[in-house]
Amino acid sequence: MSSPFKSVPVRSSEITPKEIYLSRRDFIKAAGVVAGSMALAACAPDLAETTPESLAVDTGPAKTDELGDSANTFEEITNYNNYYEFSTNKEAVAPLAKGFTTAPWTVEVGGLVNKPKTFGMEDLLSMFTQEERIYRLRCVEAWSMVIPWNGFTLASLLKMVEPTSAAKYVRFETVYRPEEMKGQGSPFYPWPYQEGLRLDEAMNDLTLLATGIYGETMLAQNGAPIRLVVPWKYGFKSIKSIVKIELVAEKPNTLWNTTAANEYGFYANVNPAVDHPRWSQASERRIGEISRRATLPFNGYGEQVASLYEGMDLSLQF
Ligand SMILES: Nc1nc2c(c(=O)[nH]1)N[C@H]1C(S)=C(S)[C@@H](COP(=O)(O)O)O[C@H]1N2
Ligand SMILES: [Mo]
């Protein structure tokens, strides 16, 4: 019926700022200057006034994932986003999300657990070890990035609330705040955004609750203050701005599965052998690269997660 993940033409007024600072970044690279606010101020004082906040972030030495792929830049990660609550236009999300209220914030964890608890963001940041995880993110639309997240494992949170033996799935819910998120006025989607995982997927050590990127507090466009990251699944599983986590007995509904069940499955494991009904999933465009690269089964994380799906027909798990 509706057309999920439609590509919206980008107006030049939206492209311009990005073009400016991307080319500035190239200039900085070419000049062999370490990206940092001091260096920028010294090299390009005339442009300093228009410098987006993000450029002041010192991303430190180059980061790579375990396959040797370079992390995308902070600018790329924070200016090309899927977040339908704000916009269906990836370049428009960052400006629209500016000023979104992320504090105070609580995450209610309950359902089939012995010790339900509502956590304040401060608790989540202090009670759980925050680590860096450099993961590939593969969108179902066939673009990808490498993102250095900061966060903690979902498993550590779930262990604290003690799921009962009846709990088989985990359901996640994004904040519902249509005053601040104009996209939630769209009648085409069943708001609030919901997602779900099987309990063993949720307990896998790769599954992260992310609170930061490049060591900086998460920005609104990336799902501040806390979002899920499931790196072996298509990006839409990695739900943003979570306010509720519920342990349940039945497979939960998800926004995308409800919207177009034939296009977006519950499992949504990255699988180059199973095409989306409207496009190939065999290859992808890594943001910042010119030629396409092959998509890897389970997005390259098969060693850690393939055993979760033993006996399942993966050709059906689009
Ligand atoms: N609440 C919510 N979560 C969401 C989305 C969304 O529209 N709303 N988009 C998803 C999709 S399709 C992708 S690819 C990733 C993008 O994450 P990023 O913008 O941080 O790269 O977020 C996912 N989580
Ligand atoms: Mo996506």
Side-chain angles (χ1 to χ4, degrees):
M1 263 187 56
S2 55
S3 78
F5 298 118
K6 54 186 182 286
S7 60
V8 178
V10 180
R11 289 191 297 275
S12 60
S13 61
E14 287 158 352
I15 296 176
T16 309
K18 187 175 177 195
E19 297 303 309
I20 290 170
Y21 61 73
L22 286 184
S23 58
R24 284 190 65 203
R25 194 174 173 94
D26 289 341
F27 159 69
I28 292 157
K29 272 193 200 145
V33 177
V34 176
S37 50
M38 295 314 290
L40 285 174
C43 289
D46 54 319
L47 283 173
E49 278 181 341
T50 58
T51 300
E53 231 173 272
S54 57
L55 249 193
V57 169
D58 181 357
T59 57
K63 293 181 186 293
T64 55
D65 67 13
E66 83 288 359
L67 301 180
D69 293 354
S70 301
N72 281 88
T73 65
F74 191 79
E75 292 77 6
E76 288 164 339
I77 296 166
T78 57
N79 289 283
Y80 189 84
N81 302 99
N82 266 333
Y83 203 164
Y84 275 32
E85 284 85 339
F86 291 105
S87 175
T88 56
N89 174 349
K90 284 181 263 297
E91 319 245 356
V93 170
L96 287 169
K98 219 175 157 77
F100 176 67
T101 311
T102 56
W105 194 276
T106 55
V107 181
E108 183 189 337
V109 189
L112 302 171
V113 299
N114 291 323
K115 299 181 171 167
K117 185 174 162 67
T118 297
F119 295 85
M121 260 322 282
E122 311 70 33
D123 306 333
L124 294 171
L125 291 169
S126 63
M127 292 168 78
F128 300 98
T129 312
Q130 309 288 315
E131 8 174 341
E132 178 181 74
R133 298 280 183 99
I134 304 173
Y135 285 158
R136 293 170 291 287
L137 175 96
R138 173 41 162 98
C139 178
V140 73
E141 298 165 323
W143 56 266
S144 64
M145 292 202 201
V146 177
I147 304 182
W149 304 103
N150 308 97
F152 56 98
T153 60
L154 175 61
S156 59
L157 175 71
L158 295 181
K159 279 176 197 152
M160 188 165 288
V161 298
E162 297 181 7
T164 69
S165 58
K168 301 287 184 248
Y169 293 90
V170 188
R171 179 183 166 274
F172 305 85
E173 199 176 296
T174 294
V175 70
Y176 181 68
R177 210 187 281 159
E179 332 78 72
E180 281 196 89
M181 300 168 125
K182 296 295 180 221
Q184 286 181 335
S186 165
F188 295 108
Y189 304 97
W191 310 108
Y193 199 104
Q194 291 181 47
E195 258 304 336
L197 294 173
R198 221 170 53 193
L199 185 56
D200 58 346
E201 298 176 320
M203 295 299 287
N204 188 278
D205 181 63
L206 286 175
T207 307
L208 199 71
L209 284 169
T211 55
I213 290 174
Y214 271 116
E216 296 289 316
T217 301
M218 183 92 67
L219 296 180
Q221 58 265 42
N222 294 105
I226 185 164
R227 60 89 59 86
L228 186 69
V229 183
V230 194
W232 72 95
K233 292 178 179 284
Y234 291 119
F236 66 85
K237 297 295 292 182
S238 294
I239 181 173
K240 296 178 168 181
S241 305
I242 297 168
V243 289
K244 192 170 178 184
I245 299 177
E246 195 181 1
L247 283 285
V248 294
E250 307 290 335
K251 192 190 278 184
N253 288 329
T254 74
L255 178 139
W256 283 111
N257 194 237
T258 306
T259 302
N262 60 321
E263 302 198 351
Y264 309 105
F266 176 82
Y267 282 94
N269 292 318
V270 174
N271 189 346
V274 178
D275 288 341
H276 184 278
R278 291 182 282 136
W279 58 83
S280 166
Q281 294 293 26
S283 70
E284 66 200 54
R285 182 173 59 92
R286 176 70 47 85
I287 301 304
E289 291 181 358
I290 290 161
S291 46
R292 295 178 74 86
R293 50 165 71 211
T295 287
L296 303 173
F298 297 109
N299 203 21
Y301 300 97
E303 225 169 275
Q304 292 99 309
V305 300
S307 63
L308 294 170
Y309 309 101
E310 238 160 61
M312 283 175 67
D313 182 354
L314 290 177
S315 70
L316 298 175
Q317 308 306 321
F318 60 87

